Structures are given as structure tokens and as C-alpha cells.
Amino acid sequence: MSSTDAKVEQMFQILLDPKEKGTEKKQKASQNLVVLAREDAGAEKIFRSNGVQLLQGLLDTGETDLMLAALRTLAGICSEHQSRTVATLSVLGTRRVVSILGVENQAVSLAACHLLQVIFDALKEGVKKGFRGKEGAIIVDPARELKVLISNLLELLTEVGLSGQGRDNALTLLIKVVPRKSPKDPNNNLTLWVIDQGLKKILEVGGSLPDPSGEPAVTAGSRMSASILLSKLFDDLKCDAERENFHRLCENYIKSWFEGQGLPGKLRAIQTVSCLLQGPSEAGNRALELGGVMESILALCGSEQEEEQLVAVEALIHAAGKAKRASFITANGVALLKDLYKRSERDSIRIRALVGLCKLGSAGGTDFSMKQFAEGSTLKLAKQCRKWLCNAQIDAGTRRWAVEGLAYLTFDADVKEEFVEDKAALKAVFQLSRSEERSVLFAVASALVNCTNSYDYEEPDPKMVELAKYAKQHVPEQHPKDKPSFVRARVKKLLAAGVVSAMTCMVKTESPVLTNSCRELLSRVFLALVEEAADRGTVVAQGGGKALLPLALEGTDVGQIKAAQALAKLTITSNPEMTFPGERVYEVVRPLVSLLHLNCSGLQNFEALMALTNLAGISERLRQKILKEKAVPMIEGYMFEEHQMIRRAATECMCNLAMSKEVQELFVAEGNDRLKLLVLYSGEEDELLRRAAAGGLAMLTSLQPALCSRIPQVTTHWLEILQALLLSSSRELQHRGAVVVQNMVEASREIASTLMESETLELLSVLAKGEEGPVTRAAAACLEKAVEYGLIKPNPDGE
């Protein structure tokens, strides 16, 4: 601590010395402070040395490097410490901290965003724990501080002069900290408070028009972030009354712009409806039904002004998302969209009109019999989408719409086949997914799910199909090119085009656009890519193993299970230490254990058991991790499973786990049938199950000699089971049997006597004379021990 004291004082002296401005020494000092603040002792010392006031001085300098260092040091001071967080906010002022988000410099804005995230986490922890005593004396009410912070963030959203980057960061923070982390948490008061206090401000960002004068600046991602925040808030509501209040606030806001504000007001209202349709679509659909909104959208599609046309066509595209409304637009809007597509001179309008046609053309989904357009029309639309996609002259924001079009058209198997053959189009899609145009992620993921057929599809029952035909009901048909052989060929082409590295970049994206739904789509694609064992090496080589870990730990329940299953497949066929190098291999255990739950399919249970068997055989530390995740009771449960392969996999897994002392103690403990099960399984007909059980028995009797005397007590058939192992035609089973017998002979003279009085003596004598090997050596060791006990005598010729 004494050396830390000196260091802290020295760093601040250098940083606050005006002579040192811009020197390398000053940079070093600022970096040292950041490093010191990461350790609790260093953070405490900086805090007690009047550090927050001194860091405030660094923020006031306006120098980028010093501001970054100050923000990062403050993050260290506040990290997981409520009292220091509240004290820091009282010194700096909540408004001051939030306002740093709005600076033009991107790095400083991101550092401020991280600091605020740390502050939110510390305050939320304080609300959860309800501190008493020393901590409670300092923190009067963390919930109040939390609301003050969120209130300032909401104010920031509509501030003129704020950078677009700062507005995006404010929205990202609200997305992360306002909605409940889990529906199990009963308290959604913060969400209700934000809806009452700030819904209009969020809608103002979502309804902002491109390049309006005197309006808050927004980036391409701002409106998408606003949609995601609205969606998260709506999903966090618990009852109809709360949802009705949300609808009422949205409708009142849209009406306030739509009525009596002229054409600019109508455009603003339509843009807000678009934002809602992309987020909480239920609220968007209700807004569309407001008097005059749909008519205005159709009318403005024919406007001479590009900005007006853009807003209207985008709203029409988003409105076509629901089949109910798509049928209305198919009747009323197709002719309009076709006209725009053919006659407009602007690529930005034509590409959006094309996407609208794509969306309506795919209304039948994967049902081959439900064609919206004439034969070949979807292929022509897809060809045009790919042409625009590959045109580097068009900006990324416009090319995004081409990917949106393909996301809908790839429901058609003919389009999938042509798309995976077009290397230039695939390359363009992957480049776009890595670009700053983040809003393209969901469309790319959707197109990949369609190409790999990784959506949920159940084969209809033939009897039900016949019944439906008889009753003249519609029966969905699968496209001939969606058969497994075609899907496998498409997967191979996507792998060759570098799909894994593109998806790895998508997973790493730190953006609200990477929603849980988007994560689920990526998990589905990864699972399809690793289906064939021959392709798994390619997936691992391109970083697939690393990308799957965050997908398996965060997202929708379905997405997490799919990602965990993909991890299991990789762990089964490749060396886990190579696939997940370093500490990463320990992170794989939890997703694999999640696949053991009863709500997972038999195949998922089986693959999880196989993968855990591999991990349990690597090291004691990994076995301890499996035990810590409470996997042993579940594995034991599957040892009683009726399905032969699951029972065998569970037994193999338990055999490897038996190398741990804690598991051995479970077998040694009195009053359980674990040992009995292994002995009985050693006599089963399934050779692989026998091998696993006998292997476990051999290991346990070696490591815990006390178990040897218990074997004759667990079943009356123990002797014939051991003799059957020694008589087996399999050398592996013979070896396991011989080792168990050797362990029992060495354990006590009494057991050895029982064995030597039976036919086991004859079997051991024959095995001891066989070819030199582990079986021969074990059999010979048994006989030697029996001679030592005086139970048998060697032949006169020394044998």
C-alpha cells in the first residue's frame, strides 16, 4: 500500500504539471493510473487521495488521451463498489458524466458509455442487496440515483447539438439497463417509469427524418436502436393494462404529428409508425389502423420528392411484414410498387420497391405450393438484388436493402441454389456484415438460415396429410431442392465461401442490433454447419468454436440450446483443448450441462453426454468444473434411460468422472446402488455398455479397494458376470475383467478364496498362458497372489 500511495501521488503530479503537456511521460502516467484503478487497493487509494476531483481536472483539459485515461480510471474506481460510485457521482455531477457521451470523439464517447455501464451495474447491485450499516450510511437510496441517471440519458436523446454516436450510445445504455434481465424478476417498475417519462423522447429519435434542419442528429443505426429499445420495453410489460397504456401513448404521439402539422408532420408520423413496425410490431400494426395513415402512405409513394417517397416506401415494406396485412397490400400495393420499381430513376427508391415486392412474393414462406407471383418472378427479383448487392458504387445503407430482399426471397429453394453459386454476391454479403452498416445483421442471418434450412421443420404425418386432402384443406409442400442432399451441398458451398469467419465477426459486434433473435438465427446456422463431422474441422479453423461460446451463454432459450448442441458436436469429434484453447475449455462445460435437462431432446442429451465424457477424460480441473455445475445427478439419471445409446453414453461419462475423489466417495457411501448398477451393466448384452461399466468397475476397485469386498454383496450373479468378462472374445473386455479380479484378489484373502474355489481359477490359468499382453500379466498376478495366500500351489514343473 505504501508503494501504491507514492505511485498515485507521483502520477497526479506529472498529469497536473502544465510543463508536461503532450509529453510521453504524461501519457505513461495516465496509463499507469488506469492500471492501478483496476485493482481494488489501487482504486481505493486513488479515491482517498482526492482522486475524483483531480480526475475531474483531467476531464476539463479537453485532451483526448487524458480524458480517456480519466474515464477509464473512474470506471476502475466505481467498479462493483456502491459507496465509491455514489460519491463519484456527487463530485462529478450526474449531468456532467452523461454529457460526455455527446462529444464528437468516438473513443471518448465509448469510454464514457463504459463508465456509465459500470455505474449502473454498481447502483443496481445496491438496489438488489439493500445495504445496511457502513454501506447503508453512505448510500441513501441507490434507486433514486439510478432514476436520476436514466432521466438524464432520456433528456440527452432529444438534445440538439449532440453527436449521433453519443445518441446511439445513450440508446445502447438504456437497452442494457432498463428492461429486466429475466422474466423471473417480478419487478418491472423501472420499465414502467421509463415509458411514462421518456417514451415520447424515444419515439422522437425513432421518427426522426433523414437530414432535417435544426433537428437532433441521428446515424443510420439510431432509428434501429430506438426500435430495439421500444421492443424491449414492450416485451417487459406484464399485463394488458400496461400494454394498453403503451399503445395509447404511441397513438397519441403519432396523432399529434399526423393531425394539423401539415406534410412534415405526416412524414414524421409515418416514420414513427415504421419505427414501431420494426420494434414492437403489435403497437405498429395498431398505429397503422389509425384513420388516414395507410392512405397517406400509399399516396406519398407517388410523391415527386425523394425524401417523401423514401419514408412512404419504407413504411409500406415494414407494413407488409404480417401475412394479414400483406394480403391487403398484395391487393392494393403491388401495382404501385411495380410501377415505382420500373419507372423511378432513383436507385434508392427502386431498391426499396424491389424489397417490398420480395417481401410480398415470399408471403407463402417455404410452402412450394403457395406462389404469390408468376413462375420465375422470384428468380428475376433475386437476380436484381444480387446485381445491386455487388455494385460497389452504391452506398452500404442502400445495399443493405438488397440483403433484406434476399432474406425474404431465399424462402424459395431455386433462389437459394442460385445465391450460393454466386461467389461475388456471397462475398458482398459477408463484407457488408463486417461493415459499419450494423442494421444488416438480421437480414444476413435470416438469409443464411434459409439457405441452410436451419429453421424448425417437422415432417407432416402422412395420415393427417391424406385426411387434409380428403377434406380439401391446404397442405404445405416442400420444394424438391430443399431435400437433405441439396441442403448439404449448399452448406459446403457456404463454408468454402468463408461463412464462418463472417459469422464470427457478427457475433463479436458490440451493438444493440445483435438482438437475442439475431443470436438465435446465428446459432441455428452454426448448428447446420457442424451437422456433418467432416465439416467441423473447417468451422473450428475459422474460429467457430470461439464464436459459439457467447451464443450458448446469452440469448433466447432456443438459441442457447442450438449453440450448446453445436458446441457438443465440436467437442465430440475434435480435441477440445485444440478447439477451445487455454481457459476457454472450462467455459464449454456449462452449455453442455444445460443440454442434460429433461426439456432437451434425446439426441441433445446423448451428444452432451458424449462431449462431457471427452472433457472428463482430460484433466482433474475439468472434472471438478463438471461436478461444480451439478451434472453428476443428471448423468446418473441417464444411466437408467431406456434408450440404449443414451444409457451407454452416461455410463462412459460416469466412468471418466470416477477418476475424481468426490465421485469415488459417492460409490463408497453406504446405502446406494451405484456399484450394483455397474456390476449388472458389466453383464449386459450390449458390448459397448459392458466395456464402459467394466472399465468403471476396474478403475473404482483400483482406486478404492474397499469396494472389492462390496461386489459379492450387491448381486448373487457377480461371479458369473466376472467369468463372462474373462471368457469374452473381446480382448478389451477380458482385460477389464482380469483387472477387476486382480483387484479383488489383492483386496482380501477371503474374496480370493471364493474366486479360486470357482471356475475362475481355470479361466485365469488359461489366460495366464496366452500371448504376452496386459490380460496375461493381470491373470498371472492373480495366480501369484493366490499362491502367496496359500490357496493354490504351483505345479512341480514351476508353472
Side-chain angles (χ1 to χ4, degrees), residues 5-45:
D5 289 2
K7 279 180 190 167
V8 170
E9 285 166 21
Q10 189 186 355
M11 298 311 134
F12 276 121
Q13 276 174 7
I14 296 166
L15 289 169
L16 297 167
D17 187 350
K19 293 176 189 171
E20 297 283 354
K21 188 173 180 179
T23 62
E24 194 179 327
K25 197 174 178 185
K26 203 163 191 174
Q27 281 183 330
K28 275 265 174 68
S30 63
Q31 291 306 314
N32 288 346
L33 267 187
V34 176
V35 173
L36 283 169
R38 282 181 191 149
E39 297 295 329
D40 193 56
E44 186 66 25
K45 179 58 202 161

Side-chain angles (χ1 to χ4, degrees), residues 83 125 262 291 324 395 533 632:
S83 54
E125 200 62 31
K324 183 180 77 171
D395 66 284
V632 171

Side-chain angles (χ1 to χ4, degrees), residues 156-267:
L156 201 70
L157 292 181
T158 52
E159 231 177 64
V160 179
L162 179 76
S163 69
Q165 167 83 21
R167 191 166 280 105
D168 286 359
N169 284 337
L171 285 165
T172 303
L173 276 168
L174 289 167
I175 289 166
K176 283 182 179 176
V177 301
V178 175
R180 292 172 294 171
K181 283 276 183 281
S182 160
K184 291 172 188 171
D185 177 6
N187 185 358
N188 69 340
N189 290 343
L190 201 55
T191 297
L192 297 175
W193 183 81
V194 167
I195 288 170
D196 287 337
Q197 301 294 317
L199 187 64
K200 286 182 181 176
K201 292 183 172 67
I202 301 164
L203 288 170
E204 205 167 313
V205 177
S208 56
L209 297 165
D211 308 321
S213 54
E215 291 277 337
V218 290
T219 67
S222 300
R223 285 193 293 273
M224 181 59 83
S225 294
S227 291
I228 291 164
L229 176 55
L230 289 166
S231 183
K232 291 246 183 193
L233 292 173
F234 188 76
D235 291 344
D236 206 33
L237 300 176
K238 293 193 292 188
C239 63
D240 288 345
E242 291 175 0
R243 283 185 275 273
E244 201 52 50
N245 178 52
F246 187 95
H247 290 313
R248 185 177 51 77
L249 289 169
C250 290
E251 286 166 19
N252 289 346
Y253 177 81
I254 290 163
K255 279 181 193 169
S256 71
W257 280 103
F258 197 75
E259 296 162 5
Q261 297 268 3
L263 184 59
K266 281 188 169 54
L267 285 172

Side-chain angles (χ1 to χ4, degrees), residues 666-681:
L666 292 175
F667 282 89
V668 172
E670 292 292 334
N672 70 75
D673 289 335
R674 292 184 178 95
L675 187 65
K676 180 179 181 178
L677 190 66
L678 279 188
V679 175
L680 291 173
Y681 277 177

